[in-house]
Amino acid sequence: MADKPIMKPWIEQIHAYVPGKSKAADGRPLAKLSANENPLGCSPDVLEALATGHGPHLYPDPDARELRQAIGAAHGIDPACIVCGTGSGELLHGAVQAFAGPGDEVVFPRFSFSLYPLLVHKVGADVVLAQDNDYAPDVDRILAAVTPRTRVVLVDNPNNPIGTWLPQDEIARLHAALPRDVLLVVDQAYAEYLEEGEDDGGFALAAAHDNVLVTRTFSKAFGIAGERVGWATGAPHLVDALNRLRGAFNVTESGQKAAMAALGDPEFVARSRDANNAVRARFVGQLEALGNHGLRALPSKANFVLVLFEGAVRAPQALDAIAEGGFAVRHLPGQGLPEALRITIGTQEQMDTIATILRGLCEAGA
Ligand SMILES: *Cc1c(COP(=O)(O)O)cnc(C)c1O
């Protein structure tokens, strides 16, 4: 007999999710540009809504009815086809858990949201990584990774940590080529940062087919990551599966209130998007000016940029210099990206400071 409880082998291989850092090695606080949070905070309406409420002694609405109605109204989706989660993370877990298990395969692009391998291992299924195309997700390579054992395909679009985006025709092509019993999950965590008119068609596919689930979050452009609210939409039997698996009171009272207030202020989201995209373009321009030193920003549609260090200045050295300057950014060697840093788009002042630090490093190394 073992002398202590023995963890299941498929749980043993899980590496706990590694959150973005906010402190230097010596404990000094750093400005956190490592978790893709909104530098503008959240809508003032959210703060106001959080000050009201029916009190912490009562359970929240277990079905988040009002919130689902508000989401449905905002997107033209039947609230019965919407399920809310403790962040979209809970719903991504549910999607994998409901449709994949031991012996099954879950396919996603080689560079994807770091949560994905964790939730596949959690259910004892096998991770199958689709090859990238210069780091970016590639539909033909995703399809090439699909086998008869594939049960779920996960695509974060825009992709985290790469930042690239597959347009509507590519997502449609991916869906059309997948067997009908394979679930396609389109994780649209960064969709609010797309320009007006840019749409990968996920909602339309989810409304028309039995095997497409789209997830969204309030954690990024809406700026309420701490409240942990996300949602998913898909065919009734997909929503039913997620409702069976989610926690009974999975979205807190304050989370439901905050999300409704956030939805009610689209102007804040538009302002967040416009500020992000302008600052991102300026920062990318500053990086392009360092191209002759081997710095390369991958094209981003999100609120971060993946910067490759392919010259004399290496990523760990840049990470240290940026931390020295007071900022935490993301180095992801554990995700197969030792030569890159993922930098969240902060304020223009913050990004100008980082660009200056990088230019200093390049010039010193040249
Ligand atoms: C941040 C992020 C999410 C959101 O997670 P929440 O649990 O909703 O906070 C989902 N998918 C991707 C790709 C992300 O980067």
Side-chain angles (χ1 to χ4, degrees), residues 165-180:
W165 181 68
L166 294 168
Q168 186 162 344
D169 53 345
E170 285 294 279
I171 293 293
R173 193 163 72 81
L174 171 61
H175 174 257
L178 284 177
R180 284 167 57 182

Side-chain angles (χ1 to χ4, degrees), residues 61-65 68 79-85 90-91 93-95 97-99 213 231-251:
D61 174 2
D63 297 317
R65 247 167 272 242
R68 285 189 297 112
C81 295
I82 292 172
V83 49
C84 293
E90 183 188 29
L91 304 169
H93 271 283
Q97 195 180 358
F99 300 101
L213 191 78
W231 58 279
T233 183
H237 77 114
L238 301 180
V239 168
D240 176 46
L242 295 184
N243 272 321
R244 290 165 195 249
L245 289 163
R246 69 176 174 85
F249 297 98
N250 61 339
V251 185

Side-chain angles (χ1 to χ4, degrees), residues 94-119:
V96 171
Q97 195 180 358
F99 300 101
D104 297 331
E105 293 175 348
V106 177
V107 172
F108 50 86
R110 177 170 167 219
F111 303 113
S112 291
F113 189 24
S114 59
L115 185 70
Y116 294 172
L118 204 143
L119 46 91

Side-chain angles (χ1 to χ4, degrees), residues 257-270:
K257 282 243 147 58
M260 272 185 296
L263 260 184
D265 189 359
E267 205 267 325
F268 173 82
V269 178

